[in-house]
Amino acid sequence: MDTLTRMRAFIAVIENEGFSAAARKTGRSKALLSKYVRELEDELGVLLINRTTRQIALTGAGEVYLARASAILSDLESLNEEAREATGEAKGRIRVSAARTFGDAELGHSLVDFAVAHPDISLDIHLDDNFVDLVEDGFDVAIRMTRLSDSAMIARRLASLDLALCASPALIERLGRPTHPSELANFPAVIDSNSRMFSSWSFRDPETGEPFPVPVSGQFTANSPVTVRAAVRAGLGFAMIPEFVVRADIAAGRLVTVLETFMPQEAGIYAVFPHRRHLPLRVRLFVDFLAVWFRKCDGERAAPELVTMSEADAR
């Protein structure tokens, strides 16, 4: 147990890039972590970390030890999970990455509902529209709104992701309603800079099903669908935006959808996680819960199978 404690201290110092940050993260004192690492080095008879007054750096032996120690602790965690599953218990923490748009919208209530239903499981939720590496950043699962492609990531489809092309009634009255996506070149666009489509929106030919791009431009660009929605409501242009973001505005008549038959349909909302020999029970419960939640609350029958997707798509 002393060796495992020292290994955990060593890994925490490296992952947090210093003793002070590791102390804040783990709740242990800086002096205690330094003692554990020094004892580990004494036990091994090698120097693992080069220390200066401003930074730390792994030695060659430290790099080798870090990789093997991380794998050992990961295997130990998996073993503990398997033992808990034998008793039917699901406890611990789940680190979840999700787009800010997901967490801030009605869909984010799914995370709160899971926490209420499973009080023994802690959720550590990080909302960020930027790309995260699930393995490197230590996330157990990510909720991503994307189109699917091949990869080494494992994903479970939770729901379809419908996009809406919309504008304010006043703008349509002033500029007219487009009848084909190509006409958008003559209309102002409000652009979500976080979107993979950015200033080239993708549409689908209703007869052949083939996708085709349409370049767009406009006065207003923002990295938030919620801000884009506000700009569209103010009459600044047309926007391609997730339907759930503008659902209430459409129902209330504050926004109007156009070109519905040309909208792409292959996107979805997925729970994404890395390849693992053993997926913790708490993570499987979390993903299963979300699948049922979306089926009940969003009217979408989620596909039960697992699929692969690229890290570039897991945004």
Side-chain angles (χ1 to χ4, degrees):
M1 290 302 296
D2 288 342
T3 298
L4 288 176
T5 299
R6 294 163 185 161
M7 287 170 60
R8 290 191 174 100
F10 166 69
I11 292 173
V13 169
I14 299 304
E15 288 182 343
N16 292 279
E17 301 180 348
F19 287 91
S20 297
R24 290 192 295 270
K25 183 71 173 180
T26 63
R28 298 177 181 270
S29 71
K30 178 181 175 181
L32 184 59
L33 292 179
S34 180
K35 173 179 178 289
Y36 284 153
V37 173
R38 185 172 60 254
E39 289 176 347
L40 181 61
E41 291 176 325
D42 291 343
E43 180 182 340
L44 298 173
V46 297
L47 187 67
L48 299 176
I49 300 175
N50 284 318
R51 304 162 177 83
T52 69
T53 56
R54 294 186 176 181
Q55 62 183 7
I56 62 170
L58 284 170
T59 64
E63 291 181 358
V64 173
Y65 191 84
L66 176 65
R68 294 294 301 274
S70 298
I72 289 171
L73 290 180
S74 177
D75 286 344
L76 180 61
E77 182 180 348
S78 294
L79 177 62
N80 292 340
E81 286 291 342
E82 291 175 9
R84 293 189 191 102
E85 288 189 27
T87 63
E89 296 181 3
K91 297 181 178 181
R93 183 183 68 156
I94 304 175
R95 295 195 76 227
V96 182
S97 171
R100 191 174 300 277
T101 306
F102 177 91
D104 291 343
E106 180 185 352
L107 305 184
H109 290 301
S110 60
L111 306 178
V112 176
D113 290 346
F114 175 83
V116 171
H118 296 276
D120 292 331
I121 299 177
S122 300
L123 286 185
D124 183 4
I125 301 168
H126 294 252
L127 301 179
D128 194 334
D129 291 323
N130 295 323
F131 171 76
V132 297
D133 186 306
L134 299 186
V135 176
E136 182 176 333
D137 295 330
F139 287 105
D140 297 297
V141 62
I143 309 301
R144 291 295 179 256
M145 299 175 290
T146 184
R147 291 190 182 86
L148 201 62
S149 64
D150 294 333
S151 155
M153 302 295 286
I154 299 295
R156 179 170 177 180
R157 184 183 177 92
L158 301 175
S160 64
L161 176 61
D162 296 324
L163 296 175
L165 182 64
C166 55
S168 68
L171 183 73
I172 291 179
E173 182 178 355
R174 179 164 57 90
L175 300 180
R177 179 188 293 265
T179 59
H180 189 274
S182 60
E183 298 173 23
L184 291 173
N186 301 318
F187 288 87
V190 177
I191 297 171
D192 181 357
S193 58
N194 271 335
S195 172
R196 297 173 62 203
M197 292 185 291
F198 193 55
S199 58
S200 180
W201 293 347
S202 179
F203 293 90
R204 180 182 61 90
D205 188 303
E207 295 183 1
T208 66
E210 291 296 316
F212 63 92
V214 173
V216 295
S217 62
Q219 171 194 4
F220 197 95
T221 299
N223 66 341
S224 163
V226 176
T227 303
V228 167
R229 177 187 63 186
V232 176
R233 286 175 54 174
L236 294 180
F238 290 81
M240 183 88 77
I241 193 168
E243 185 272 340
F244 68 81
V245 175
V246 292
R247 185 176 300 161
D249 293 294
I250 294 171
R254 292 185 292 267
L255 294 177
V256 177
T257 60
V258 298
L259 302 176
E260 294 86 352
T261 59
F262 292 92
M263 299 305 296
Q265 297 177 335
E266 64 271 21
I269 300 175
Y270 295 88
V272 184
F273 36 89
H275 275 298
R276 287 184 179 172
R277 284 175 293 176
H278 177 79
L279 189 66
L281 174 61
R282 62 181 181 273
V283 177
R284 285 195 277 121
L285 284 176
F286 177 70
V287 174
D288 288 343
F289 181 92
L290 292 185
V292 173
W293 191 95
F294 274 95
R295 189 160 59 242
K296 288 182 177 179
C297 299
D298 204 45
E300 169 70 19
R301 181 165 295 277
E305 68 273 12
L306 296 180
V307 290
T308 58
M309 69 188 305
S310 69
E311 290 193 11
D313 287 328
R315 298 186 179 217

